[in-house]
PDB file of all heavy atoms in Angstrom:
ATOM      1  N   ALA A 194       0.825  -1.210   0.000  1.00  0.00           N
ATOM      2  CA  ALA A 194       0.000   0.000   0.000  1.00  0.00           C
ATOM      3  C   ALA A 194       0.857   1.257   0.000  1.00  0.00           C
ATOM      4  O   ALA A 194       0.538   2.251  -0.661  1.00  0.00           O
ATOM      5  CB  ALA A 194      -0.930  -0.009   1.216  1.00  0.00           C
ATOM      6  N   ILE A 195       1.980   1.215   0.720  1.00  0.00           N
ATOM      7  CA  ILE A 195       2.865   2.380   0.757  1.00  0.00           C
ATOM      8  C   ILE A 195       3.620   2.514  -0.557  1.00  0.00           C
ATOM      9  O   ILE A 195       3.829   3.630  -1.058  1.00  0.00           O
ATOM     10  CB  ILE A 195       3.832   2.259   1.950  1.00  0.00           C
ATOM     11  CG1 ILE A 195       3.044   2.353   3.271  1.00  0.00           C
ATOM     12  CG2 ILE A 195       4.907   3.337   1.900  1.00  0.00           C
ATOM     13  CD1 ILE A 195       3.876   2.144   4.504  1.00  0.00           C
ATOM     14  N   ARG A 196       4.011   1.398  -1.157  1.00  0.00           N
ATOM     15  CA  ARG A 196       4.683   1.453  -2.456  1.00  0.00           C
ATOM     16  C   ARG A 196       3.774   2.085  -3.508  1.00  0.00           C
ATOM     17  O   ARG A 196       4.209   2.898  -4.332  1.00  0.00           O
ATOM     18  CB  ARG A 196       5.084   0.043  -2.911  1.00  0.00           C
ATOM     19  CG  ARG A 196       6.315  -0.532  -2.236  1.00  0.00           C
ATOM     20  CD  ARG A 196       6.720  -1.816  -2.919  1.00  0.00           C
ATOM     21  NE  ARG A 196       7.767  -2.530  -2.229  1.00  0.00           N
ATOM     22  CZ  ARG A 196       9.068  -2.273  -2.361  1.00  0.00           C
ATOM     23  NH1 ARG A 196       9.455  -1.320  -3.187  1.00  0.00           N
ATOM     24  NH2 ARG A 196       9.968  -2.995  -1.696  1.00  0.00           N
ATOM     25  N   GLU A 197       2.506   1.705  -3.489  1.00  0.00           N
ATOM     26  CA  GLU A 197       1.544   2.189  -4.488  1.00  0.00           C
ATOM     27  C   GLU A 197       0.877   3.487  -4.062  1.00  0.00           C
ATOM     28  O   GLU A 197       0.011   3.990  -4.780  1.00  0.00           O
ATOM     29  CB  GLU A 197       0.486   1.113  -4.726  1.00  0.00           C
ATOM     30  CG  GLU A 197       1.057  -0.189  -5.280  1.00  0.00           C
ATOM     31  CD  GLU A 197       0.010  -1.283  -5.396  1.00  0.00           C
ATOM     32  OE1 GLU A 197      -1.136  -1.043  -4.936  1.00  0.00           O
ATOM     33  OE2 GLU A 197       0.330  -2.350  -5.938  1.00  0.00           O
ATOM     34  N   ARG A 198       1.279   4.010  -2.862  1.00  0.00           N
ATOM     35  CA  ARG A 198       0.731   5.253  -2.321  1.00  0.00           C
ATOM     36  C   ARG A 198      -0.782   5.198  -2.185  1.00  0.00           C
ATOM     37  O   ARG A 198      -1.504   6.178  -2.451  1.00  0.00           O
ATOM     38  CB  ARG A 198       1.154   6.455  -3.176  1.00  0.00           C
ATOM     39  CG  ARG A 198       2.658   6.620  -3.296  1.00  0.00           C
ATOM     40  CD  ARG A 198       3.027   7.958  -3.898  1.00  0.00           C
ATOM     41  NE  ARG A 198       2.683   9.049  -2.996  1.00  0.00           N
ATOM     42  CZ  ARG A 198       3.422   9.452  -1.962  1.00  0.00           C
ATOM     43  NH1 ARG A 198       4.567   8.824  -1.686  1.00  0.00           N
ATOM     44  NH2 ARG A 198       3.035  10.459  -1.214  1.00  0.00           N
ATOM     45  N   THR A 199      -1.285   4.037  -1.766  1.00  0.00           N
ATOM     46  CA  THR A 199      -2.714   3.882  -1.502  1.00  0.00           C
ATOM     47  C   THR A 199      -2.992   3.730  -0.014  1.00  0.00           C
ATOM     48  O   THR A 199      -4.118   3.451   0.376  1.00  0.00           O
ATOM     49  CB  THR A 199      -3.265   2.656  -2.255  1.00  0.00           C
ATOM     50  OG1 THR A 199      -2.529   1.474  -1.846  1.00  0.00           O
ATOM     51  CG2 THR A 199      -3.132   2.835  -3.746  1.00  0.00           C
ATOM     52  N   HIS A 200      -1.953   3.894   0.801  1.00  0.00           N
ATOM     53  CA  HIS A 200      -2.115   3.799   2.259  1.00  0.00           C
ATOM     54  C   HIS A 200      -3.049   4.907   2.728  1.00  0.00           C
ATOM     55  O   HIS A 200      -3.011   6.038   2.224  1.00  0.00           O
ATOM     56  CB  HIS A 200      -0.754   3.915   2.936  1.00  0.00           C
ATOM     57  CG  HIS A 200      -0.765   3.584   4.389  1.00  0.00           C
ATOM     58  ND1 HIS A 200      -1.100   4.511   5.368  1.00  0.00           N
ATOM     59  CD2 HIS A 200      -0.499   2.431   5.064  1.00  0.00           C
ATOM     60  CE1 HIS A 200      -1.018   3.953   6.557  1.00  0.00           C
ATOM     61  NE2 HIS A 200      -0.656   2.691   6.397  1.00  0.00           N
ATOM     62  N   TRP A 201      -3.891   4.603   3.700  1.00  0.00           N
ATOM     63  CA  TRP A 201      -4.907   5.564   4.137  1.00  0.00           C
ATOM     64  C   TRP A 201      -4.316   6.860   4.692  1.00  0.00           C
ATOM     65  O   TRP A 201      -4.946   7.924   4.630  1.00  0.00           O
ATOM     66  CB  TRP A 201      -5.796   4.920   5.206  1.00  0.00           C
ATOM     67  CG  TRP A 201      -5.071   4.608   6.486  1.00  0.00           C
ATOM     68  CD1 TRP A 201      -4.391   3.475   6.782  1.00  0.00           C
ATOM     69  CD2 TRP A 201      -4.950   5.457   7.629  1.00  0.00           C
ATOM     70  NE1 TRP A 201      -3.844   3.549   8.034  1.00  0.00           N
ATOM     71  CE2 TRP A 201      -4.179   4.752   8.591  1.00  0.00           C
ATOM     72  CE3 TRP A 201      -5.421   6.728   7.957  1.00  0.00           C
ATOM     73  CZ2 TRP A 201      -3.864   5.286   9.835  1.00  0.00           C
ATOM     74  CZ3 TRP A 201      -5.111   7.264   9.202  1.00  0.00           C
ATOM     75  CH2 TRP A 201      -4.342   6.549  10.124  1.00  0.00           C
ATOM     76  N   ASN A 202      -3.065   6.800   5.187  1.00  0.00           N
ATOM     77  CA  ASN A 202      -2.460   7.986   5.796  1.00  0.00           C
ATOM     78  C   ASN A 202      -1.252   8.479   5.009  1.00  0.00           C
ATOM     79  O   ASN A 202      -0.392   9.174   5.551  1.00  0.00           O
ATOM     80  CB  ASN A 202      -2.043   7.662   7.238  1.00  0.00           C
ATOM     81  CG  ASN A 202      -1.799   8.894   8.064  1.00  0.00           C
ATOM     82  OD1 ASN A 202      -2.457   9.930   7.897  1.00  0.00           O
ATOM     83  ND2 ASN A 202      -0.855   8.821   8.984  1.00  0.00           N
ATOM     84  N   ILE A 203      -1.195   8.151   3.727  1.00  0.00           N
ATOM     85  CA  ILE A 203       0.005   8.442   2.941  1.00  0.00           C
ATOM     86  C   ILE A 203       0.293   9.932   2.867  1.00  0.00           C
ATOM     87  O   ILE A 203       1.451  10.351   2.823  1.00  0.00           O
ATOM     88  CB  ILE A 203      -0.134   7.844   1.523  1.00  0.00           C
ATOM     89  CG1 ILE A 203       1.204   7.904   0.771  1.00  0.00           C
ATOM     90  CG2 ILE A 203      -1.237   8.541   0.749  1.00  0.00           C
ATOM     91  CD1 ILE A 203       2.259   7.009   1.339  1.00  0.00           C
ATOM     92  N   ASN A 204      -0.723  10.786   2.872  1.00  0.00           N
ATOM     93  CA  ASN A 204      -0.503  12.226   2.739  1.00  0.00           C
ATOM     94  C   ASN A 204       0.117  12.847   3.989  1.00  0.00           C
ATOM     95  O   ASN A 204       0.644  13.961   3.923  1.00  0.00           O
ATOM     96  CB  ASN A 204      -1.828  12.931   2.431  1.00  0.00           C
ATOM     97  CG  ASN A 204      -2.368  12.569   1.058  1.00  0.00           C
ATOM     98  OD1 ASN A 204      -1.603  12.297   0.140  1.00  0.00           O
ATOM     99  ND2 ASN A 204      -3.691  12.552   0.917  1.00  0.00           N
ATOM    100  N   ASN A 205       0.034  12.160   5.112  1.00  0.00           N
ATOM    101  CA  ASN A 205       0.580  12.691   6.358  1.00  0.00           C
ATOM    102  C   ASN A 205       1.885  12.011   6.764  1.00  0.00           C
ATOM    103  O   ASN A 205       2.412  12.298   7.836  1.00  0.00           O
ATOM    104  CB  ASN A 205      -0.443  12.530   7.493  1.00  0.00           C
ATOM    105  CG  ASN A 205      -1.716  13.305   7.227  1.00  0.00           C
ATOM    106  OD1 ASN A 205      -1.688  14.417   6.718  1.00  0.00           O
ATOM    107  ND2 ASN A 205      -2.857  12.709   7.576  1.00  0.00           N
ATOM    108  N   MET A 206       2.390  11.120   5.925  1.00  0.00           N
ATOM    109  CA  MET A 206       3.583  10.360   6.275  1.00  0.00           C
ATOM    110  C   MET A 206       4.844  11.072   5.820  1.00  0.00           C
ATOM    111  O   MET A 206       4.846  11.752   4.792  1.00  0.00           O
ATOM    112  CB  MET A 206       3.510   8.952   5.669  1.00  0.00           C
ATOM    113  CG  MET A 206       2.454   8.072   6.316  1.00  0.00           C
ATOM    114  SD  MET A 206       2.065   6.589   5.345  1.00  0.00           S
ATOM    115  CE  MET A 206       3.700   5.896   5.115  1.00  0.00           C
ATOM    116  N   GLN A 207       5.912  10.921   6.593  1.00  0.00           N
ATOM    117  CA  GLN A 207       7.218  11.471   6.269  1.00  0.00           C
ATOM    118  C   GLN A 207       8.256  10.345   6.349  1.00  0.00           C
ATOM    119  O   GLN A 207       8.244   9.578   7.301  1.00  0.00           O
ATOM    120  CB  GLN A 207       7.609  12.583   7.247  1.00  0.00           C
ATOM    121  CG  GLN A 207       6.736  13.819   7.163  1.00  0.00           C
ATOM    122  CD  GLN A 207       6.915  14.584   5.864  1.00  0.00           C
ATOM    123  OE1 GLN A 207       7.986  14.525   5.264  1.00  0.00           O
ATOM    124  NE2 GLN A 207       5.877  15.286   5.429  1.00  0.00           N
ATOM    125  N   PRO A 208       9.148  10.229   5.367  1.00  0.00           N
ATOM    126  CA  PRO A 208      10.154   9.157   5.424  1.00  0.00           C
ATOM    127  C   PRO A 208      11.157   9.392   6.543  1.00  0.00           C
ATOM    128  O   PRO A 208      11.778  10.454   6.621  1.00  0.00           O
ATOM    129  CB  PRO A 208      10.829   9.232   4.046  1.00  0.00           C
ATOM    130  CG  PRO A 208      10.576  10.623   3.565  1.00  0.00           C
ATOM    131  CD  PRO A 208       9.263  11.043   4.143  1.00  0.00           C
ATOM    132  N   ILE A 209      11.286   8.416   7.444  1.00  0.00           N
ATOM    133  CA  ILE A 209      12.214   8.504   8.568  1.00  0.00           C
ATOM    134  C   ILE A 209      13.018   7.211   8.627  1.00  0.00           C
ATOM    135  O   ILE A 209      12.460   6.114   8.530  1.00  0.00           O
ATOM    136  CB  ILE A 209      11.480   8.726   9.907  1.00  0.00           C
ATOM    137  CG1 ILE A 209      10.591   9.973   9.838  1.00  0.00           C
ATOM    138  CG2 ILE A 209      12.472   8.862  11.054  1.00  0.00           C
ATOM    139  CD1 ILE A 209       9.799  10.209  11.111  1.00  0.00           C
ATOM    140  N   ASP A 210      14.312   7.343   8.804  1.00  0.00           N
ATOM    141  CA  ASP A 210      15.215   6.200   8.857  1.00  0.00           C
ATOM    142  C   ASP A 210      14.817   5.276  10.018  1.00  0.00           C
ATOM    143  O   ASP A 210      14.702   5.720  11.156  1.00  0.00           O
ATOM    144  CB  ASP A 210      16.641   6.702   9.060  1.00  0.00           C
ATOM    145  CG  ASP A 210      17.673   5.612   8.828  1.00  0.00           C
ATOM    146  OD1 ASP A 210      17.384   4.455   9.147  1.00  0.00           O
ATOM    147  OD2 ASP A 210      18.762   5.934   8.334  1.00  0.00           O
ATOM    148  N   PRO A 211      14.592   3.980   9.754  1.00  0.00           N
ATOM    149  CA  PRO A 211      14.228   3.056  10.829  1.00  0.00           C
ATOM    150  C   PRO A 211      15.310   2.902  11.884  1.00  0.00           C
ATOM    151  O   PRO A 211      15.009   2.567  13.027  1.00  0.00           O
ATOM    152  CB  PRO A 211      13.960   1.740  10.091  1.00  0.00           C
ATOM    153  CG  PRO A 211      14.716   1.862   8.799  1.00  0.00           C
ATOM    154  CD  PRO A 211      14.659   3.309   8.441  1.00  0.00           C
ATOM    155  N   VAL A 212      16.579   3.146  11.498  1.00  0.00           N
ATOM    156  CA  VAL A 212      17.656   3.092  12.489  1.00  0.00           C
ATOM    157  C   VAL A 212      17.506   4.230  13.487  1.00  0.00           C
ATOM    158  O   VAL A 212      17.675   4.052  14.693  1.00  0.00           O
ATOM    159  CB  VAL A 212      19.027   3.153  11.795  1.00  0.00           C
ATOM    160  CG1 VAL A 212      20.146   3.179  12.822  1.00  0.00           C
ATOM    161  CG2 VAL A 212      19.208   1.970  10.852  1.00  0.00           C
ATOM    162  N   ALA A 213      17.158   5.419  12.994  1.00  0.00           N
ATOM    163  CA  ALA A 213      16.957   6.562  13.881  1.00  0.00           C
ATOM    164  C   ALA A 213      15.765   6.344  14.800  1.00  0.00           C
ATOM    165  O   ALA A 213      15.747   6.848  15.929  1.00  0.00           O
ATOM    166  CB  ALA A 213      16.764   7.834  13.058  1.00  0.00           C
ATOM    167  N   LEU A 214      14.775   5.586  14.343  1.00  0.00           N
ATOM    168  CA  LEU A 214      13.596   5.304  15.165  1.00  0.00           C
ATOM    169  C   LEU A 214      13.822   4.152  16.127  1.00  0.00           C
ATOM    170  O   LEU A 214      12.991   3.901  16.991  1.00  0.00           O
ATOM    171  CB  LEU A 214      12.401   4.986  14.257  1.00  0.00           C
ATOM    172  CG  LEU A 214      11.876   6.139  13.399  1.00  0.00           C
ATOM    173  CD1 LEU A 214      10.818   5.628  12.432  1.00  0.00           C
ATOM    174  CD2 LEU A 214      11.298   7.237  14.283  1.00  0.00           C
ATOM    175  N   GLY A 215      14.925   3.440  15.966  1.00  0.00           N
ATOM    176  CA  GLY A 215      15.201   2.310  16.837  1.00  0.00           C
ATOM    177  C   GLY A 215      14.452   1.049  16.456  1.00  0.00           C
ATOM    178  O   GLY A 215      14.346   0.118  17.258  1.00  0.00           O
ATOM    179  N   LEU A 216      13.942   0.982  15.235  1.00  0.00           N
ATOM    180  CA  LEU A 216      13.208  -0.201  14.786  1.00  0.00           C
ATOM    181  C   LEU A 216      14.132  -1.311  14.305  1.00  0.00           C
ATOM    182  O   LEU A 216      13.725  -2.470  14.241  1.00  0.00           O
ATOM    183  CB  LEU A 216      12.235   0.189  13.668  1.00  0.00           C
ATOM    184  CG  LEU A 216      11.115   1.148  14.069  1.00  0.00           C
ATOM    185  CD1 LEU A 216      10.294   1.551  12.857  1.00  0.00           C
ATOM    186  CD2 LEU A 216      10.206   0.508  15.126  1.00  0.00           C
ATOM    187  N   CYS A 217      15.355  -0.960  13.943  1.00  0.00           N
ATOM    188  CA  CYS A 217      16.336  -1.962  13.554  1.00  0.00           C
ATOM    189  C   CYS A 217      17.717  -1.379  13.780  1.00  0.00           C
ATOM    190  O   CYS A 217      17.874  -0.180  14.016  1.00  0.00           O
ATOM    191  CB  CYS A 217      16.150  -2.399  12.095  1.00  0.00           C
ATOM    192  SG  CYS A 217      16.528  -1.110  10.880  1.00  0.00           S
ATOM    193  N   LYS A 218      18.735  -2.232  13.695  1.00  0.00           N
ATOM    194  CA  LYS A 218      20.108  -1.791  13.878  1.00  0.00           C
ATOM    195  C   LYS A 218      20.718  -1.434  12.526  1.00  0.00           C
ATOM    196  O   LYS A 218      20.298  -1.941  11.484  1.00  0.00           O
ATOM    197  CB  LYS A 218      20.942  -2.893  14.542  1.00  0.00           C
ATOM    198  CG  LYS A 218      20.459  -3.275  15.932  1.00  0.00           C
ATOM    199  CD  LYS A 218      21.303  -4.390  16.512  1.00  0.00           C
ATOM    200  CE  LYS A 218      20.821  -4.800  17.891  1.00  0.00           C
ATOM    201  NZ  LYS A 218      21.620  -5.929  18.454  1.00  0.00           N
ATOM    202  N   GLN A 219      21.733  -0.560  12.563  1.00  0.00           N
ATOM    203  CA  GLN A 219      22.396  -0.166  11.330  1.00  0.00           C
ATOM    204  C   GLN A 219      23.056  -1.363  10.652  1.00  0.00           C
ATOM    205  O   GLN A 219      23.059  -1.472   9.423  1.00  0.00           O
ATOM    206  CB  GLN A 219      23.445   0.906  11.625  1.00  0.00           C
ATOM    207  CG  GLN A 219      24.095   1.491  10.386  1.00  0.00           C
ATOM    208  CD  GLN A 219      23.116   2.265   9.525  1.00  0.00           C
ATOM    209  OE1 GLN A 219      22.438   3.155  10.014  1.00  0.00           O
ATOM    210  NE2 GLN A 219      23.033   1.930   8.238  1.00  0.00           N
TER     211      GLN A 219
END
């Protein structure tokens, strides 16, 4: 959905590095 930009909140989303968010390790 995000690839095709059909996600319900796509207009309010900002790309953020998952490492900076702590979701995964570098």
